[in-house]
Amino acid sequence: SQKIEQNSEALNIQEGKTATLTCNYTNYSPAYLQWYRQDPGRGPVFLLLIRENEKEKRKERLKVTFDTTLKQSLFHITASQPADSATYLCALDPGGYQKVTFGTGTKLQVIP
Amino acid sequence: DSGVTQTPKHLITATGQRVTLRCSPRSGDLSVYWYQQSLDQGLQFLIQYYNGEERAKGNILERFSAQQFPDLHSELNLSSLELGDSALYFCASSREGVYEQYFGPGTRLTVT
């Protein structure tokens, strides 16, 4: 069956360092992979989308990589700030009229 | 503010009852998605509508139903409520040809 795995444990890093979050998947062939940020009690907020034929995407301090051979995406936040503390969700989209599947998320805590 | 609105914000009801959650998508968005998020399950896709038609279906219970109206707002109906239906229910919308989703603030449903 299809499975999406994100670091189930919280990730604590020091302010100013680079945070790296992992999204692994099995039995899935996503056409797109998306990353969202979610704060407690609020709706997810779209951050970045990467297509299956793209290796890397950047937006300001954010970088996403997508390795369809390893079936893995890495999400990096450089020069992390306490305001980056949140849960980050990866979402796999097979494209077409099929459902998007979200991972359970990784909670990031940036310590001042 | 994503531009997606959901009402009500909170809902407390008893087992066996029926409730209706309402969502208004962003202006110009034709697709509406419904998700359920509980503490132990993560974000679960329920159903997607596109311009009034059902487009994709997730693990939506038979006790749940949804529809999208001509003005593009959507309603999610939950009936014969059980304690386990207590969760945050999110609505999201997206534009044609654009894959990122914009989430509303959610409706917190508590079944007692």
Side-chain angles (χ1 to χ4, degrees):
Chain A
S1 61
Q2 296 173 347
K3 200 172 178 182
I4 303 172
E5 286 184 348
Q6 294 188 250
N7 310 63
S8 56
E9 295 178 13
L11 180 64
N12 296 321
I13 65 162
Q14 210 67 37
E15 181 176 4
K17 300 291 187 186
T18 296
T20 298
L21 284 66
T22 305
C23 176
N24 294 302
Y25 59 92
T26 55
N27 298 322
Y28 213 112
S29 297
Y32 310 92
L33 192 145
Q34 305 178 36
W35 284 89
Y36 290 78
R37 168 189 172 133
Q38 187 173 25
D39 292 286
R42 303 181 73 111
V45 175
F46 171 76
L47 297 174
L48 278 169
L49 177 149
I50 187 165
R51 290 172 166 74
E52 61 179 336
N53 59 352
E54 296 176 316
K55 295 291 184 189
E56 184 178 297
K57 204 84 171 275
R58 291 175 186 260
K59 180 182 174 183
E60 298 172 353
R61 295 185 296 112
L62 309 179
K63 184 177 87 171
V64 172
T65 63
F66 193 10
D67 188 326
T68 55
T69 302
L70 288 179
K71 295 188 181 295
Q72 180 182 77
S73 174
L74 299 178
F75 178 77
H76 306 271
I77 306 174
T78 57
S80 58
Q81 304 165 1
D84 295 326
S85 299
T87 296
Y88 291 85
L89 309 171
C90 72
L92 274 58
D93 184 350
Y97 299 159
Q98 300 182 67
K99 66 175 186 173
V100 173
T101 303
F102 281 80
T104 51
T106 297
K107 187 172 181 179
L108 173 68
Q109 186 78 30
V110 180
I111 303 162
Chain B
D1 183 0
S2 65
V4 178
T5 60
Q6 289 187 249
T7 56
K9 288 189 75 171
H10 301 277
L11 201 48
I12 301 174
T13 189
T15 54
Q17 295 297 304
R18 172 190 169 95
V19 297
T20 297
L21 313 184
R22 183 187 168 104
C23 167
S24 292
R26 292 187 317 162
S27 177
D29 287 1
L30 299 180
S31 280
V32 168
Y33 310 76
W34 285 98
Y35 291 88
Q36 179 192 59
Q37 188 174 42
S38 51
L39 280 173
D40 57 345
Q41 289 284 331
L43 201 61
Q44 300 292 314
F45 170 75
L46 296 177
I47 198 162
Q48 178 198 356
Y49 279 84
Y50 174 79
N51 203 20
E53 300 290 325
E54 182 183 305
R55 179 167 268 191
K57 210 166 185 175
N59 298 325
I60 187 167
L61 299 172
E62 282 192 19
R63 300 184 286 108
F64 296 1
S65 65
Q67 59 184 124
Q68 186 179 26
F69 295 86
D71 67 352
L72 301 178
H73 92 271
S74 178
E75 292 181 357
L76 178 67
N77 300 296
L78 314 176
S79 62
S80 302
L81 285 167
E82 303 174 358
L83 295 176
D85 297 327
S86 296
L88 264 170
Y89 290 84
F90 289 106
C91 164
S93 71
S94 68
R95 296 197 195 289
E96 174 68 11
V98 175
Y99 296 94
E100 58 260 34
Q101 297 178 27
Y102 292 85
F103 283 77
T107 293
R108 183 174 292 280
L109 173 67
T110 302
V111 182
T112 61

